[in-house]
Amino acid sequence: MKHKRNIILLLTLTACMVILCSFPVFAAELTEAEVEQAVANQGKEAVTGNIFIWFLCAIAFLKVSQKIDSFMASLGINVGNTGGNMMAELLIAGRSLASSMHLRGGGSGGYRAPSSPGDAAVGGSFLSGGLSGAVGRQVERSAVNTAPGYTEHSSIGSVMYHSSLNKGGDFANNVISRIAQGNYNQVGSIKGADAEKAYISYMGMKVDSTHPVPNYSNMEIGGGRITGTESTESGSREFALYHADQYMAPSQGTYETVQSVDGATWYKQYAQDAVTKTPYDAGGGEVAYHESIDQKLPPTPPRKDRI
């Protein structure tokens, strides 16, 4: 009777392990294309929830494996060790949690500089929103690290960011907003081809055959400023945007007020006519000037935090 009960228990545990095995196998075979398709079909929140579920399934798989190991050992079968005791695991988890909170500024050591653009841009305490909130913030931090080129390796955050950027999605716009309005020294800036896509998405521009979107080049987004060159059929000219919460309104030249998709207000200025004087020797010890009219951006307005 005892052996029969042990056999039934062994079969039950084996069945549980087989079922739970399918989750880590599925996660291991997950490709970037599948993640991108999932983001397009379900959105960031659903995909983040799935990641959280996979995380819990992995823990359950390890626990079932440990239980089977213990049972096999009781039958006199030599097996590998798949984990320590529960108290040791709790102590390790507690130390990891304390370390994470300390790095976020919650420890007794006081403030510590962010270790990456994502850490600087995406706030929130370690347990804010529960474990699912922690996973979501980590994905967003990964995306923020990708946008300015801080990290180049592929991650779920980077895949989600580029997929959303190509569609002008909310996830990408939220990442762009954090960088555009962030601390330049800590978060950096978006440059290159991605910056051109980011600007079009962040300003809510839609491709329309009747109103074609201008071409943009030499773009940089970050630190409360957006600069670049706008090209249309009539020509090219430089422009600059200044975040209204961070910069005073321009006092020189004309400007317009525009809004980005996150509701932020920006002062936008184009390069304007300016007289350039080039000195030359007119003879007899006299200095004369060649004058020309060039397109130049007006001086950058002062930052509010430096007044």
Side-chain angles (χ1 to χ4, degrees), residues 26-46:
F26 174 75
E29 294 179 351
L30 188 66
T31 64
E32 291 186 10
E34 290 171 338
V35 173
E36 184 173 340
Q37 184 63 39
V39 173
N41 294 338
Q42 305 173 33
K44 181 200 73 171
E45 290 78 9

Side-chain angles (χ1 to χ4, degrees), residues 43-260:
K44 181 200 73 171
E45 290 78 9
V47 174
T48 301
N50 290 338
I51 296 171
F52 179 55
I53 292 173
W54 295 340
F55 173 71
L56 293 180
C57 288
I59 295 176
F61 169 72
L62 292 175
K63 288 301 178 185
V64 171
S65 299
Q66 183 179 353
K67 188 67 176 178
I68 291 177
D69 287 352
S70 300
F71 177 73
M72 296 289 283
S74 69
L75 297 179
I77 302 174
N78 188 23
V79 294
N81 187 3
T82 58
N85 58 58
M86 184 62 71
M87 181 58 68
E89 292 174 359
L90 288 175
L91 290 174
I92 293 173
R95 176 174 290 184
S96 299
L97 176 60
S99 176
S100 298
M101 294 179 68
H102 183 72
L103 289 175
R104 299 283 172 225
S108 60
Y111 172 78
R112 292 195 178 189
S115 59
S116 70
D119 288 335
V122 183
S125 62
F126 183 75
L127 288 180
S128 177
L131 286 177
S132 61
V135 172
R137 285 190 297 276
Q138 184 57 35
V139 170
E140 192 170 1
R141 290 186 183 111
S142 175
V144 172
N145 288 338
T146 297
Y150 179 79
T151 58
E152 297 181 354
H153 65 269
S154 180
S155 65
I156 292 178
S158 67
V159 173
M160 291 177 63
Y161 171 71
H162 286 108
S163 175
S164 180
L165 180 61
N166 290 332
K167 300 176 178 63
D170 291 340
F171 180 75
N173 286 332
N174 187 46
V175 171
I176 298 165
S177 175
R178 291 185 180 278
I179 298 173
Q181 302 176 36
N183 184 313
Y184 188 89
N185 293 327
Q186 295 179 348
V187 181
S189 64
I190 308 175
K191 301 178 182 178
D194 277 355
E196 297 157 19
K197 292 181 181 179
Y199 177 70
I200 293 174
S201 176
Y202 186 51
M203 300 309 296
M205 301 181 187
K206 303 297 182 182
V207 178
D208 189 338
S209 58
T210 58
H211 299 88
V213 174
N215 293 322
Y216 295 97
S217 58
N218 304 318
M219 294 293 304
E220 183 173 9
I221 303 173
R225 294 179 60 190
I226 301 175
T227 58
T229 302
E230 180 181 288
S231 300
T232 61
E233 294 180 353
S234 58
S236 301
R237 54 180 176 170
E238 295 181 337
F239 71 94
L241 282 79
Y242 308 99
H243 187 216
D245 289 347
Q246 296 171 271
Y247 284 87
M248 300 293 294
S251 59
Q252 299 185 40
T254 59
Y255 69 90
E256 59 181 314
T257 302
V258 298
Q259 281 194 324
S260 47

